[in-house]
Amino acid sequence: MRIERVHETPAHETAWTVAAYETPVSDRMWVLNATGATPGPVLQDLLIHLADGDGWDTAIGVPVDEKTVTAATQPLSDAGWKHTMDGRWIRWTSPDGDAGVQFDAFAAQHPNQNLATWTIWASPGPERPTWAITASRHTPSSLLTGLAETLAQKTGTRQAQPGREHRTRLAASAPAARSVTASRPASRSR
């Protein structure tokens, strides 16, 4: 596994890349990217889930099935998130609409294309996220479940507090970005 942090990245661009490999010189088994505005608590939970990676369920060459999607999103369903289907996308949106998870069924069935299969975001929607995490089709469902639990616990079905404090934990102070890109600046550190 490799974790890369690109410093001084604009809030809406990829700042974190986590990639798993079968061997040090093999192709990627799966990849997960997080934008620069992804909140510290979400990144911390991600790193904890990565450290507890025993028994990951990565199965290269096997299509993503309903069981995988259900397992990855069960915490969202349990927390009362709204579930919708729109063409190739299946979405779960928090009760107050400030966070969501999207599964792209088209990308999941096309292994030879480098498409994000999962998108986790905060703000009005996946097209204009304040921050976002994208993941490839073979990202372990246990890791995705952990991220879903983090989102559900921080937004879930809890009532809004004065000042909407729970939103503060998930939203970044940066303005909403138009798109999430995977471009990399010329200077970067590892």
Side-chain angles (χ1 to χ4, degrees):
M1 177 168 303
R2 294 182 189 139
I3 300 174
E4 177 184 35
R5 167 70 165 118
V6 180
H7 298 276
E8 299 177 22
T9 302
H12 67 282
E13 290 187 13
T14 297
W16 292 87
T17 299
V18 178
Y21 303 83
E22 191 170 5
T23 69
V25 294
S26 68
D27 290 334
R28 287 179 176 170
M29 294 183 344
W30 57 267
V31 64
L32 181 142
N33 296 301
T35 60
T38 305
V42 173
L43 291 171
Q44 182 178 11
D45 286 349
L46 170 63
L47 294 172
I48 289 168
H49 292 298
L50 289 169
D52 293 339
D54 291 335
W56 279 352
D57 51 356
T58 302
I60 303 304
V62 177
V64 178
D65 60 14
E66 184 178 344
K67 180 181 172 186
T68 303
V69 174
T70 300
T73 59
Q74 191 62 50
L76 305 175
S77 298
D78 293 347
W81 285 38
K82 182 180 176 185
H83 175 250
T84 59
M85 295 177 72
D86 181 18
R88 68 190 249 185
W89 295 282
I90 303 171
R91 291 186 181 114
W92 294 261
T93 309
S94 65
D96 59 4
D98 69 349
V101 173
Q102 175 176 277
F103 173 75
D104 184 338
F106 177 82
Q109 302 307 317
H110 291 84
N112 297 329
Q113 297 179 12
N114 192 15
L115 302 171
T117 302
W118 295 93
T119 303
I120 301 167
W121 77 88
S123 77
E127 298 84 20
R128 293 182 45 90
T130 300
W131 62 266
I133 295 173
T134 59
S136 66
R137 65 183 253 149
H138 292 299
T139 302
S141 64
S142 57
L143 178 59
L144 294 166
T145 301
L147 289 169
E149 287 172 355
T150 297
L151 284 175
Q153 290 172 3
K154 300 219 181 334
T155 60
T157 56
R158 293 188 292 186
Q159 298 297 315
Q161 302 296 320
R164 306 211 24 111
E165 294 170 10
H166 73 283
R167 195 180 283 243
T168 304
R169 282 182 266 163
L170 286 179
S173 59
R178 288 211 171 264
S179 65
V180 177
T181 62
S183 65
R184 299 174 192 257
S187 79
R188 64 179 186 216
S189 348
R190 291 183 178 215

